[in-house]
C-alpha cells in the first residue's frame, strides 16, 4: 500500500482563511484518522469518519491520507461544520498526533505498521519495550481485557509480565476495578499447564504486585468468571479475538471492536482490517473518550 | 488423581458364568471408557456411558476404572443387557484396547496423560513422532478440521507439516473431501504474517503434496470459507477450541464435542475435562462410528 507523501498541507478551502487550526477545547477531541488503513480503505474509512462526525458535535477529525479521500469526507460535510475537519496529506496518523495536529489516532491499517509508527512518533513509556494492544471483550460476567491481541507475536515471559501490569492498570483506569483479577491464558488450570512460555510467565506473575488469578483457559475469556484481565502472546490473542468476533458478531454488542495500544505516549486505537464503517465510527468515538478522560495517562500513572 | 491398580479382573457376576468376553461382531463396537477421566468423574462418565449404551443396542462398553464406578454402570443396566458390559479394574483404557478388550477408547481425563498412554500402548504410525488431536468444528460453510487442539504445545514446523497431512487425510477419509483445502492459522493473510513458527511452517506447507490454501485467520475457523482443515500448534488450538465451545454452546450443534487422536494404531477419542454426560455419550458414539467404518485405518492409508 503506497501512501503519497505530499507534505503537510491544510488546503485553505477547507477552513476559513486565516482561521487557526483546531485547538484543544474542553470536551473536544481531535482524532487523526488513517484514511488508507483497512482492507476496504479508503471507502470504509470515509464512511466511518462521517458516521463518527455526525454522532458527535464536538469531534474534530484530522484526515490523514490522500487528497481524494479527504475530499470525499469534506464534500459530505455541511460547510458550516467543515471547521471541524483538518486534512493532513503527508506522514502517518501518529506523526499528526506527535505534531500536535490531533489528540488521538485511529487506524484499521496493518497492525505492525501502526504500532511501530506510533511507538516511533510518540515514544514509549519508561520500561516498556513492546507496547501491547488491549481489546475489551464482552463476557457473561462483564467486561474483560484481553492483551496482547497482535502487537508482539513472539514475546518472552518478561514481556507477558509487563503486559499483565499494563492490562491491570487499564482495567483499573477504564473499568474502575480496584483490584482486577489477572489470569494467564493457557490450556488447563492445573499448576504447570501450558507451553514453555506459559510455565516461565506463571512463575513471574505470581511474584508481581497484582491480583494474580492464576491459569485460565479459552472458555474463561468468553465466560469472564475467572479473571478481569487475561494475558497472552499477540499471536494467540489475535487468533482468539478474530475467532470470537466472527462467532459472536451476529449478536452485536456494545463493546468497541477495536484495540488500544498501551505503553506509548498518546492515544492509539487500532481497528481490524475488515472493520466496517460502523466499527470505525465506534473506534473513533472510543479514541475520543480515551482522550477526553485522559484514560491513557491514568493507565501510565497506574503502573508507575 | 490416583487410579487403583488392582489387576485386570472381570467379576463373574457381571457376565454369565463361562460366557466368553465380548468379541468383535459385525456392527458391534467395544468402547473402553475411562471412568476416572474428567473434572466430575466418575459421576459424569457413568452418566455418559449409560446414555451411550441406551442409545446403541449393539454397543459394548469396557469400563476401565475402580469397581465402585463400574458397579454404578452395571447396576443401572437391565440384567438382560449386562453381557454388553465388561469391567477392567487395572491399567488404562489404552491398555484395554492394546490387550484386545476393546476396539476404541474414550477419555475425558488429562489430555497429555491420555495421549501419552495411547501412544505407548498402541504405538505410533511410521513417521509420526507427535500424534495430534483433531477436532471437528461446525462452521457457516460446513465442517472444519482443526488440529492440533492440545497434544503438542511447542511443535516445530516439521510437526505442523505432518499434522497438515494428517488433517487432510482425515478430511478425506471422514468428511469425503477429495482435495481438502488446508490453511495455516496465523494473524493475517498477507505473505509472511505470523510468528517465527508460522513463517517457517508456511515455507514447508507450500511444497507438500496437498491442497494448501495459505494463511488463514481466527475468523476463518468460524466461517469456514477459506479452508476445510486448519493447522496450528496445540496451545493455540486448545485455547481457540475451548473459547469457541464456550461462545457457541448455547446454540448446541450436531458436532461431537471431542477430539480424535491421529497417528496411533487405534481409535482414541478425547473429551474435554468439563464434558457433560451428553458430551461423553456423543464421544462414545463417535468412537464407535470411527471403529465401525475403520476410519482411522483409512486416514493412515491416506498419508502412507
Amino acid at each position: 500500500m503506497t501512501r503519497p507523501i505530499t507534505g503537510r498541507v491544510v488546503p485553505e478551502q477547507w477552513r476559513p482563511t486565516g482561521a487557526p487550526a483546531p485547538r484543544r477545547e474542553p470536551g473536544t477531541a481531535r482524532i487523526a484518522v488513517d484514511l488508507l488503513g483497512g482492507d476496504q480503505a479508503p471507502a470504509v474509512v470515509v464512511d466511518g469518519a462521517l458516521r463518527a462526525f455526525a454522532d458527535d458535535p464536538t469531534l474534530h477529525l484530522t484526515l490523514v491520507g490522500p487528497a481524494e479521500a479527504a475530499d470525499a469526507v469534506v464534500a459530505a460535510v455541511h460547510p458550516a461544520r467543515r471547521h471541524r475537519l483538518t486534512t493532513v496529506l503527508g506522514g502517518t496518523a501518529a506523526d499528526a498526533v506527535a505534531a500536535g495536529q490531533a489528540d488521538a489516532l485511529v487506524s484499521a491499517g496493518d497492525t505492525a505498521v501502526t504500532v511501530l509508527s506510533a511507538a516511533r512518533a510518540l515514544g514509549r513509556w519508561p520500561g516498556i519495550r513492546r507496547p501491547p494492544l488491549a481489546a475489551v471483550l464482552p463476557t457473561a460476567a462483564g467486561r474483560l481485557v484481553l492483551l496482547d491481541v497482535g502487537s508482539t507475536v513472539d514475546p518472552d515471559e518478561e514481556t507477558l509480565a509487563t503486559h499483565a501490569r499494563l492490562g491491570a492498570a487499564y482495567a483499573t483506569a477504564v473499568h474502575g476495578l480496584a483490584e482486577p483479577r489477572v489470569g494467564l491464558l493457557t490450556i488447563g488450570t492445573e499448576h504447570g499447564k501450558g507451553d514453555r512460555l506459559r510455565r516461565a510467565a506463571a512463575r513471574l506473575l505470581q511474584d508481581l504486585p497484582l491480583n494474580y488469578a492464576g491459569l485460565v483457559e479459552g472458555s474463561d475469556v468468553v465466560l469472564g468468571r475467572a479473571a478481569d484481565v487475561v494475558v497472552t502472546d499477540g499471536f494467540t490473542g489475535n487468533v482468539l479475538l478474530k475467532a470470537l468476533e466472527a462467532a459472536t458478531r451476529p449478536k452485536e454488542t456494545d463493546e468497541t471492536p477495536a484495540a488500544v495500544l498501551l505503553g506509548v505516549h498518546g492515544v492509539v486505537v487500532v481497528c481490524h482490517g475488515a472493520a466496517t464503517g460502523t466499527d470505525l465510527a465506534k473506534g473513533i468515538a472510543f479514541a475520543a473518550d480515551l482522550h477526553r478522560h485522559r484514560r491513557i495517562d491514568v493507565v501510565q500513572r497506574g503502573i508507575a
Side-chain angles (χ1 to χ4, degrees), chain A:
Chain A
M1 200 149 53
T2 59
R3 175 167 301 181
I5 305 292
T6 56
R8 287 177 192 161
V9 178
V10 183
E12 286 304 311
Q13 68 269 30
W14 292 344
R15 58 185 173 87
T17 306
R23 293 274 163 237
R24 181 179 296 164
E25 297 157 18
T28 68
R30 300 169 306 152
I31 311 299
V33 177
D34 174 11
L35 292 170
L36 283 184
D39 302 344
Q40 306 294 323
V44 160
V45 187
V46 168
D47 178 47
L50 289 171
R51 287 171 185 268
F53 193 78
D55 288 345
D56 181 347
T58 68
L59 190 70
H60 287 259
L61 292 181
T62 301
L63 307 166
V64 182
E68 314 81 67
D71 280 357
V73 177
V74 173
V77 166
H78 190 282
R81 289 190 279 275
R82 287 183 188 160
H83 68 280
R84 296 197 278 124
L85 299 176
T86 304
T87 295
V88 174
L89 298 179
T92 66
D95 293 333
V97 175
Q101 295 170 298
D103 301 313
L105 78 89
V106 174
S107 178
D110 185 283
T111 300
V113 171
T114 304
V115 169
L116 197 64
S117 71
R120 277 186 188 157
L122 304 175
R124 296 169 178 85
W125 297 347
I128 307 297
R129 270 195 316 138
R130 297 179 172 278
L133 280 165
V136 178
L137 279 72
T139 77
R143 291 182 295 184
L144 180 143
V145 180
L146 176 68
L147 80 174
D148 173 29
V149 296
S151 174
T152 303
V153 293
D154 280 312
D156 57 15
E157 61 271 26
E158 299 279 355
T159 299
L160 287 188
T162 301
H163 291 182
R165 290 171 54 227
L166 286 166
Y170 184 89
T172 298
V174 182
H175 296 167
L177 301 176
E179 292 196 348
R181 299 160 301 161
V182 179
L184 176 64
L185 187 61
T186 186
I187 61 171
T189 53
E190 303 89 2
H191 177 73
K193 275 284 179 182
D195 56 3
R196 286 186 294 262
L197 174 62
R198 259 41 73 151
R199 290 194 296 273
R203 285 190 292 271
L204 286 183
L205 285 171
Q206 63 201 11
D207 292 334
L208 287 184
L210 49 74
N211 185 6
Y212 179 51
L215 305 177
V216 302
E217 299 186 276
S219 51
D220 293 312
V221 175
V222 174
L223 304 174
R225 288 182 304 221
D228 306 300
V229 176
V230 170
V231 179
T232 191
D233 64 282
F235 183 89
T236 306
N238 186 281
V239 165
L240 183 57
L241 180 68
K242 284 176 177 162
L244 287 176
E245 282 176 347
T248 60
R249 179 157 292 265
K251 292 185 210 147
E252 277 297 333
T253 70
D254 289 337
E255 292 304 328
T256 303
V260 57
L261 191 64
L262 301 178
V264 301
H265 296 291
V267 175
V268 178
V269 169
V270 174
C271 297
H272 58 73
T276 63
T278 306
D279 293 341
L280 276 157
K282 285 184 181 177
I284 291 169
F286 180 45
D289 175 81
L290 291 171
H291 165 67
R292 285 177 174 133
H293 295 92
R294 304 290 185 273
R295 297 195 196 280
I296 299 301
D297 295 343
V298 180
V299 173
Q300 188 182 3
R301 284 201 298 275
I303 70 148

